[in-house]
Amino acid sequence: MPAAPSSDIPLFDDNALADPYPLYERLREVGPAVRLTRYGVWAIPRHREAEAILRNPDAYGSEDGVALTTLANTQILTGTVLASDAEQHIRLRRVLSAQLAPRAIRRLVGVVTARAERLVEEHIAEGGFDAAALAQHMVSDTVMELMGLPEETREYLLTGAAATFDVFGPDNERYQRALPVASRMVEFLHEAVTRETVAPGSWMGAIFQAVDEGRMEEKAAIPLASAYTAASMDTTILGITEVIAQLARHPRQYEQLRREPAHATSAFHESIRLEAPIQGFGRMVTKTVEIGGVRLEAGEQVWLLYGSAGRDRLSWGPTADVFNVRRRRADRHLAFGGGPHLCAGIPLAELQARAVLRALATRCTRLTIAGEPVRVLNNLLRGWGHMPVAVEHAPRAVSRTADDATYVRTPANADEQGAIS
Ligand code: HEM
């Protein structure tokens, strides 16, 4: 066996979080598994090996392995869908699988499209808008409605979700600040979310129903709810903000999207390939394995760098750093994970992104960055908290306000409507 490659790069310092790509490139050059001496884990910076690990849950478990600290793994995340394996994972994942399946999400097309059109019209009315505010409005309205949670939980969920992702990281200052915020969110959910306060027929209603039918334990209900809300809010908000920013920076790509609105979904995938909203997650090695000639023993931890895998030239070729809405099979990226823990919310994330992009493409001939964006610094999340964008209105912009669920056929959604009729 060759000597184990290692690196002492400070992957979670502010400078690294602001621009991790040079560090990722160094790690990819060092090898497919690189010991990060500061954090005691093996970084997996290349696409191929990260994907193989995701697809091998027998050797790489999520239980006690998704976060970087023992406290988060054994006390905060234990028993959640994300941090469970095998039978328990299947049982928890099944609770909401009917609600998240593509068929169920297709039924939401009308409501989500109408919401995107209304919000885009409101936000672009003055000629400029904050893409992060638009995305937050869009996603939090959708998630609150689907989850059926009482309105007073919205603020807790929005601040608590980002804190939850900080808690997945190493025990740094950011982690220490986030711990009380994340636990306050869970405490508040325990108080505010009951069978009486959730909307009938909602996702939360389905969780309580699963408890009542003996398919899961009562004590798992709120952790499951917070996992779903944390997983679905910031990730999608950051993903939608980023794709708008990419289109504003690349006017030709935006023109391409306007010409062929069917590229909206691939534009979204391409954008999260380049800028994964979740930069990494861990796995626990459960039996002796070998990665690129390096032996890892049970009890060691790997850190899958989704954000680095998306830039890996070995998998994406010489244009790995380029934003191209027509890239073939951009959806092979690992920004949604892979294997049994593959993101359960892909159809919903895609639907919301597509609806916003098409609403913009119909109404604006050009987007440009119109000020200084503000980056979110988080141990796991990557994206923008503020992204000022100026628009040029299309000459015959549709000025319809859709405050109900009526789905009106526009050039931008015509092919989608065909698909569901
Ligand atoms: C751009 C948006 C999103 C991104 C980038 C994203 C990313 C991810 C990633 C990387 C994982 C895999 C975790 C792992 O490796 O263990 C994951 C899992 C998950 N996601 Fe998403 N997600 C997004 C949107 C959503 C939405 C809208 C939902 C809606 C409910 C959702 C629900 C979940 C759930 C429940 C899991 C856990 C699945 C499991 O452990 O079996 N996500 N997501």
Side-chain angles (χ1 to χ4, degrees), residues 9-22:
I9 60 166
L11 203 56
F12 297 91
D13 282 11
D14 284 7
N15 288 340
L17 294 177
D19 182 16
Y21 299 111

Side-chain angles (χ1 to χ4, degrees), residues 20-100:
Y21 299 111
L23 300 180
Y24 288 163
E25 184 157 7
R26 265 164 54 196
L27 289 174
R28 288 195 302 270
E29 275 163 12
V30 175
V34 185
R35 179 98 185 140
L36 294 181
T37 51
R38 285 174 193 249
Y39 311 106
V41 291
W42 290 90
I44 310 295
R46 298 183 188 167
H47 177 98
R48 195 162 73 100
E49 288 76 12
E51 186 175 40
I53 290 173
L54 287 167
R55 291 185 176 178
N56 185 2
D58 288 342
Y60 301 92
S62 290
E63 192 177 335
D64 293 348
V66 274
L68 275 179
T69 61
T70 310
L71 177 80
N73 279 325
T74 59
Q75 289 179 37
I76 299 172
L77 294 166
T78 190
T80 63
V81 62
L82 191 67
S84 54
D85 292 319
E87 287 306 309
Q88 192 194 11
H89 173 245
I90 293 170
R91 213 173 37 250
L92 288 173
R93 184 144 173 152
R94 206 177 275 148
V95 174
L96 288 184
S97 56
Q99 284 82 349
L100 288 163

Side-chain angles (χ1 to χ4, degrees), residues 231-347:
S232 54
M233 288 262 202
D234 290 57
T235 50
T236 319
I237 294 169
L238 295 173
I240 292 176
T241 308
E242 183 67 50
V243 67
I244 296 173
Q246 293 284 351
L247 291 165
R249 286 208 187 93
H250 301 97
R252 286 219 187 120
Q253 297 294 315
Y254 185 62
E255 271 167 36
Q256 184 71 49
L257 174 71
R258 276 178 47 79
R259 268 199 306 277
E260 294 179 78
H263 286 313
T265 309
S266 54
F268 178 56
H269 279 284
E270 173 69 347
S271 173
I272 64 175
R273 173 189 74 78
L274 274 177
E275 296 281 352
I278 298 176
Q279 288 284 296
F281 265 136
R283 291 290 187 271
M284 185 57 72
V285 178
T286 54
K287 54 171 88 155
T288 305
V289 289
E290 206 185 296
I291 307 172
V294 178
R295 195 158 77 196
L296 274 60
E297 301 295 344
E300 296 193 79
Q301 198 182 11
V302 290
W303 194 250
L304 307 170
L305 287 169
Y306 302 143
S308 171
R311 303 282 186 125
D312 183 1
R313 285 186 206 95
L314 293 174
S315 290
W316 298 97
T319 62
D321 292 321
V322 176
F323 176 67
N324 173 9
V325 300
R326 303 187 73 184
R327 184 182 296 276
R328 271 173 58 79
R329 297 287 330 277
D331 63 353
R332 289 186 297 116
H333 63 73
L334 302 179
F336 283 124
H341 289 273
L342 175 71
C343 176
I346 297 174

